[in-house]
Each structure stands twice: as C-alpha cells, then as structure tokens.
Amino acid sequence: MSANDKTGKKPWSGRFAEPATGLVQRFTASVAFDRRLAVFDIEASLAHARMLQAAGIIGQADLAAIEKGLAQIRSEIDAGAFAWSDAYEDVHFNIERRLIELAGEPGKRLHTARSRNDQVATDLRLFLRAAIDQVAALIRSVQRALLDLADEHAETVMPGYTHLQVAQPVTFGHHLLAYFEMFARDAQRLADCRRRVNRLPLGAAALAGTSFPIDRQRVAKELGFDGVCENSIDAVSDRDFAIEFAACAALVMTHLSRFCEEIIIWANPRFGFVEIADGFSTGSSIMPQKRNPDVAELIRGKTGRVNGHLVALLTLMKGQPLAYNRDNQEDKEPLFDVVDTLTACLAVFAEMLGGIKVQREAMAAAARQGHATATDLAEYLVRKGVAFREAHEAVAQAVRFAESRNCELAELKLAELQRFSSRIAQDVYDALTLEGSLKSRSHIGGTAPVRVKAAIAKARKSLG
Ligand code: ARG
C-alpha cells in the first residue's frame, strides 16, 4: 500500500493475483458500522506506538509522525471530513491508510507487533468499558427517580398482588423499592462484568503473540486497563465479555419491561392508579378519547430486541474453533444496538418516572377490595393461640360469609366475625384495617411505612 493510494488496494493484496470483486468487497466491509470504534482505535494506536518507541522498536521521529498523523485523523473524523471507504474494509484499515497518506513511511511502521485481531478486540473492550460506565450512570438516575417517588409514597397504600389478584396491602413506596433492588443488582452485575472487560488484548497479535520485545503492561496502564489478557489465543478469539454485557443488559431490560407492564396496567382506567405525563402518552389518529402508554410499551417491546441480540452473540460464538475467525465481525452490530437500546430506554424511563401522577385514592380504594387483610385476620387468630391451619380455615369461612353479604371482610360486625372464632375481640379491627396491616410489617424488608422510610435512607446512602 503506497501513500496517496486511492485504488482501494488492501495492505494484504500482495498475496493475491486478482483483487476482490465489488460484491465481495461490499460483503466483507464493516466500516459502515465499525467506524464507531474510531476514537478507541486511535487511542489504542497511540498507546501502541508509544510503547513501540519506548521499547526501541520504532524511532522517536516515527512516533512523532504517527502522533501528528493520528491527531489530524481524529480532527478530520470529529469534523465529519474523514473519507471513509468500503474499499478499505474496516475502521482499522481506513485509519491506517490515511495515516500512511499523511505520515508516509512512519505510518507504515505502526502495525509492527500487532494484528487487526488484537486491535479489534482492544477497540471493542475500550468501547464497551465506556458504554458500561454510561449505563451505570443511567441506572443510578433511574434509582434516584425511584427513591424520590418512594419517598413521597412511603405511606401510600396499594393492593399488593400475586397472580394479578389482590393479595395483601403494601405501600406504593415499598413496591417501588422492589425495583430499586433489581436495579441495584443490575448495577453490581455490570460492575463485575466491567472487571472482565477491562483487560488488554494487544500484544496477542494475530494469535501467537509477537517476536518483538513489547511491553504489554505499559500499554495496559496507558489505556486504563486493569491488566492484560493472559493468553494470546484467548485474547483474540473470545467475545464472552460482550456476551456477558448483553446478558446484563437483557436483565436490565427485563426489569424495565416488568415495570413498564405495571405502568400500562395501572394507567388503565379500570385501575386508575397512575397517570402518565402528557409528554409520555400518545393519542390515537382515529379514536379521539385515547391516551396510550406508548413509551412504556416501546420499552417493553425493545426488551425482545435486546434478548435477540444476546442470543445472536451466543450463537455467533458457539461453533468457532480457536483462534480468531471473521465471524467475529458480526459481534458489533448486535452489541452496538444493545448499548443504544439500553441507554435510550433507561434515559426515557427515568424521565417518565419523574412525571408520573399517582392517584392515592384509587390505590387505597382498590386495597379495600378483595379482602386484602384476610391474612392479617388469620395471623391475629394465631396470636390468640389458634393453630395457623385452623385460623386459615376460619378466615376462609369468614371471607365466604362476607362475599355472601356482598361486603368486605373488614366491614363485618364484631358479632358476625365471632361466628368463626370465639377468640375474636374488638381489637380485631386493628388487624383488619389497611393501616394496621401495614404497620404490623415493620421487620427488615417489610412494608410498614417506618421501615420503608428507613429502607429509602439506606438506599440513598448506597448510591453515594
Ligand atoms: N473487521 C474485523 C473484525 O471486526 C477486524 C479483524 C479482521 N481480521 C482478519 N484477520 N480478517 O473482526
């Protein structure tokens, strides 16, 4: 490849008698999408070149020319003036070709002691590390929005559900804190994944390492890696770090999706628990009365897309013999889309949460229906000395009786309740009211307002 080469001749074209056909060139090219790695490619090339110079593999003048050329390339890319070309296949060749154009001979020395195989693995890890940091910050903002809302609703009563049937009263704040916990685990998983992402592949070269006296630790340090990949064959071939990230992302999306499903249900007028802010609802082009929770639905829908990418990445890897195979070029589009989808969903979700209007009365009214404190009555009987199974049976009879009267358990008169157990006294209503039920669950992890407030304080502290 000579400087000023506009023919699209590949650096490896010396090996072949005929150039690739246009069809093959288009088929194999990845620059349309992997140019997104350009900033990381340049950063890694700079660290590599500095190490080559320090190790005496290239000269000081070579390094100066490479640094100058790469700086110019970075500004051309930033300015949108860089001439990306399919003819140069991928982001690595495009940048290298331009460097040779700008720097001449020294540019040709940059690729000493490396291969595109360790180069692309390095770029991808740098990209992913930055993406993880961005996602982690977004998760924290969702967690903060959850805590702000939970703070307002530490005492707001709502029906807790199992099987989407009224189960027991809980506070809305407590319900929100359940999601806080899920996102806290997501953040931990990502932090753990980051430790495995943050290893330097460079130095592995094509697969077998290099005969030059390279200093991998130096490159690792300059690029902010925690260490180097310990095996050159593994370094260039596995993409488990990307798969792991996609799995973490799929779980975050799953949690977002569950919450969105609840918002969709709660926003239905039959529930009427919440109203989604105007900016996050959409109307219908035909039905004038409609107010649709499209944003929540889209987040739920995009979860399928992220799950799909996870499966794509797993499938991409499973049949590959060691070491590098071109299959791995197919890792980028799914991975990029996972990052883009996840960051977009987290950002919009945090804002949507901030604009949610909670209808306390509707929640409380729903909690008063469905005999939500039946378990409290059973527990009351146990405290009076009745065995739990017997208590359960007595309360079941009482519920049937209430239903036959078309009323709630808590609305039965004392004399009526006493038909089902002689142990029932006036204090039963402390257990049967929603407030009494909530207040009694004050242990760690419980839904009592005092406990919810303590949990919020603890959660805030954990966010720092
Ligand atoms: N564009 C390639 C990729 O994404 C870069 C590595 C190509 N290496 C090779 N030997 N063909 O994986």
Side-chain angles (χ1 to χ4, degrees), residues 273-285:
F273 288 4
V274 301
E275 212 175 281
I276 301 169
D278 284 354
F280 292 85
S281 311
T282 50
S284 158
S285 57

Side-chain angles (χ1 to χ4, degrees), residues 34-178:
D34 67 14
R35 53 196 268 195
R36 182 163 175 177
L37 296 174
V39 280
F40 305 106
D41 197 70
I42 292 171
E43 201 188 332
S45 284
L46 284 169
H48 178 69
R50 286 174 192 140
M51 181 278 291
L52 290 179
Q53 189 274 325
I57 301 166
I58 63 172
Q60 180 58 53
D62 291 325
L63 174 61
I66 289 169
E67 284 179 329
K68 186 160 172 257
L70 287 175
Q72 161 142 6
I73 290 171
R74 182 176 285 175
S75 48
E76 286 176 5
I77 292 172
D78 287 348
F82 190 88
W84 297 105
S85 165
D86 254 8
Y88 302 104
E89 207 173 295
D90 57 21
V91 60
H92 322 293
F93 275 165
N94 268 268
I95 290 176
E96 190 183 346
R97 179 200 62 97
R98 179 70 179 138
L99 179 67
I100 292 168
E101 232 171 59
L102 291 168
E105 180 86 10
K108 294 184 184 179
R109 296 192 197 281
L110 174 62
H111 211 56
T112 313
R114 80 171 183 190
S115 149
R116 275 188 303 157
N117 296 354
D118 58 348
Q119 200 179 344
V120 70
T122 302
D123 294 1
L124 208 57
R125 283 170 184 263
L126 287 171
F127 163 81
L128 200 48
R129 186 179 70 190
I132 287 174
D133 293 345
Q134 193 193 352
V135 170
L138 285 166
I139 290 179
R140 274 196 298 280
S141 60
V142 166
Q143 287 182 294
R144 282 203 189 90
L146 281 168
L147 291 182
D148 289 345
L149 200 57
D151 235 346
E152 267 178 67
H153 296 286
E155 302 187 26
T156 303
V157 58
M158 73 179 276
Y161 294 88
T162 62
H163 313 269
L164 203 55
Q165 307 287 326
V166 170
Q168 293 182 296
V170 294
T171 54
F172 185 47
H174 191 56
H175 191 99
L176 293 167
L177 288 183

Side-chain angles (χ1 to χ4, degrees), residues 381-431:
L381 289 174
V382 169
R383 280 196 295 278
K384 299 271 171 172
V386 181
F388 183 76
R389 277 290 156 238
E390 259 172 54
H392 185 281
E393 177 57 26
V395 177
Q397 297 294 337
V399 166
R400 284 180 62 177
F401 177 77
E403 271 173 355
S404 74
R405 296 288 159 102
N406 248 325
C407 72
E408 288 294 317
L409 191 60
E411 290 165 353
L412 293 177
K413 301 205 171 57
L414 182 59
E416 289 171 323
L417 283 166
Q418 282 169 335
R419 288 191 202 184
F420 304 95
S421 171
S422 55
R423 315 269 176 110
I424 293 178
Q426 184 60 41
D427 62 351
V428 71
Y429 292 104
D430 295 341

Side-chain angles (χ1 to χ4, degrees), residues 225-350:
F225 284 109
D226 297 328
V228 301
C229 298
E230 297 286 345
N231 178 288
S232 65
I233 296 175
D234 174 51
V236 293
S237 59
D238 205 359
R239 296 290 183 264
D240 60 353
F241 62 91
I243 297 172
E244 189 178 342
F245 171 77
C248 294
L251 278 168
V252 181
M253 289 299 299
T254 299
H255 294 148
L256 287 175
S257 180
R258 295 189 70 183
F259 200 126
C260 285
E261 169 70 10
E262 297 208 294
I263 289 177
I264 292 161
I265 292 171
W266 296 338
N268 181 300
R270 290 271 169 145
F271 273 76
F273 288 4
V274 301
E275 212 175 281
I276 301 169
D278 284 354
F280 292 85
S281 311
T282 50
S284 158
S285 57
I286 174 168
M287 299 164 283
Q289 86 286 11
K290 293 278 272 181
R291 191 186 167 88
N292 294 330
D294 291 35
V295 171
E297 287 167 346
L298 272 170
I299 294 174
R300 190 177 59 184
K302 285 174 191 288
T303 305
R305 178 168 164 162
V306 171
N307 290 352
H309 292 320
L310 169 61
V311 174
L313 290 171
L314 281 166
T315 312
L316 175 67
M317 208 70 245
K318 75 174 274 293
Q320 289 192 48
L322 292 178
Y324 175 85
N325 302 281
R326 190 63 174 270
D327 309 44
N328 285 335
Q329 185 163 292
E330 289 292 311
D331 63 2
K332 287 166 205 65
E333 286 167 292
L335 187 63
F336 292 164
D337 195 58
V338 168
V339 170
D340 293 342
T341 305
L342 183 59
T343 50
C345 288
L346 283 166
V348 78
F349 182 82

